[in-house]
Amino acid sequence: MNARDRLIVGLDIPTIAQAETMVSTLGETVSFYKIGYQLAFVGGLEFARDLVKDGKQVFLDMKLLDIDNTVANGVENIAKMGVTMLTLHAYPKAMRAAVQAAKGSDLCLLAVTVLTSMDEPDLIEAGYDHDPHSLVLRRAEQALAAGMGGIVCSAEESAAVRNIVGSGMAVVTPGIRPAGSEAGDQKRVMTPADAIRAGSSHLVVGRPIVKAADPKAAAEAILAEMQSVL
């Protein structure tokens, strides 16, 4: 894959009209988009279908977690949408149910390990005994065993995760920040080039592109940086 196949632009935007404008602004520069909670609840699921019809790839960031039957039923319907990737929390029972439900489809299921906005004190507060790195690696092992298509982790863990999952799984990393940009609410961040070097297969970039004065130029700069190390 070239850089364009690996860059996922996060459409963390309030309205469908604004998302449509952003996609139009980015044009052929970007071919892969993430739709998460903010957009999903104002018509983002239908917008995802529209993007697929227009030949774009869609990463549906729903972070599913529920009883096995509910997860399976949801995954079955999402697979019919034609999106490329879907996230769920990396709980073994949920992952196994999702993998079974997605069989026969092209949907890549991604296991969310530890959110990039969380550090060790956050995990301790939530009741976990593991530090972020250890928990990410444990969940990567469980995702591999469950037959998931990829892992979502911070780029700081990409190299260690890649050692566990090998070359056959996607390693998708949010919290990507070009040099000089603000981290915002992200706590475990890395530049695009360093993330690719570390073993990330796909980079999720939201605010550094969609909040930029010139989103297309920002995307082009990130793509050039990624391509320089591919």
Side-chain angles (χ1 to χ4, degrees), residues 48-49 52 56-58 77-85 107:
R49 292 184 174 92
V52 171
K56 304 292 187 182
Q57 295 188 83
V58 174
N77 279 339
I78 291 168
K80 297 172 186 175
M81 294 173 62
V83 300
T84 302
M85 292 176 166
L107 181 62

Side-chain angles (χ1 to χ4, degrees), residues 12-211:
D12 300 318
I13 294 173
T15 70
I16 297 300
Q18 289 172 286
E20 289 173 339
T21 298
M22 181 57 61
V23 171
S24 176
T25 297
L26 294 172
E28 294 303 311
T29 300
V30 174
S31 63
F32 212 150
Y33 290 97
K34 177 182 80 75
I35 292 178
Y37 292 157
Q38 184 177 20
L39 204 58
F41 299 130
V42 291
L45 299 183
E46 285 305 315
F47 185 56
R49 292 184 174 92
D50 292 339
L51 288 174
V52 171
K53 289 177 184 176
D54 289 340
K56 304 292 187 182
Q57 295 188 83
V58 174
F59 168 17
L60 199 59
D61 191 17
M62 293 290 97
K63 299 183 180 72
L64 301 182
L65 180 61
D66 212 309
I67 63 172
D68 297 359
N69 186 62
T70 300
V71 168
N73 289 340
V75 169
E76 285 179 5
N77 279 339
I78 291 168
K80 297 172 186 175
M81 294 173 62
V83 300
T84 302
M85 292 176 166
L86 168 70
T87 55
L88 59 148
H89 282 290
Y91 284 68
K93 281 170 61 65
M95 290 191 290
R96 290 193 292 267
V99 168
Q100 188 64 32
K103 278 187 176 178
S105 74
D106 294 326
L107 181 62
C108 178
L109 296 171
L110 301 175
V112 177
T113 54
V114 177
L115 300 179
T116 51
S117 61
M118 299 182 74
D119 56 16
E120 187 166 1
D122 295 320
L123 290 181
I124 292 171
E125 184 180 24
Y128 289 96
D129 293 330
H130 298 278
D131 62 272
H133 187 80
S134 299
L135 184 56
V136 167
L137 299 191
R138 180 181 183 186
R139 287 180 164 173
E141 292 170 349
Q142 292 171 327
L144 176 64
M148 295 286 283
I151 303 293
V152 180
C153 63
S154 88
E156 290 182 0
E157 292 106 24
S158 287
V161 166
R162 182 60 74 192
N163 287 335
I164 291 171
V165 304
S167 60
M169 290 175 70
V171 177
V172 181
T173 53
I176 300 299
R177 292 291 184 267
S181 63
E182 294 183 2
D185 57 359
Q186 302 287 2
K187 295 181 178 177
R188 291 161 26 247
V189 301
M190 193 173 285
T191 66
D194 286 343
I196 293 293
R197 290 190 189 99
S200 300
S201 62
H202 297 77
L203 310 186
V204 181
V205 184
R207 282 166 284 187
I209 292 176
V210 301
K211 298 293 187 183

Side-chain angles (χ1 to χ4, degrees), residues 3-14:
R4 188 168 174 268
D5 298 313
R6 295 171 178 253
L7 175 63
I8 304 173
V9 173
L11 291 176
D12 300 318
I13 294 173

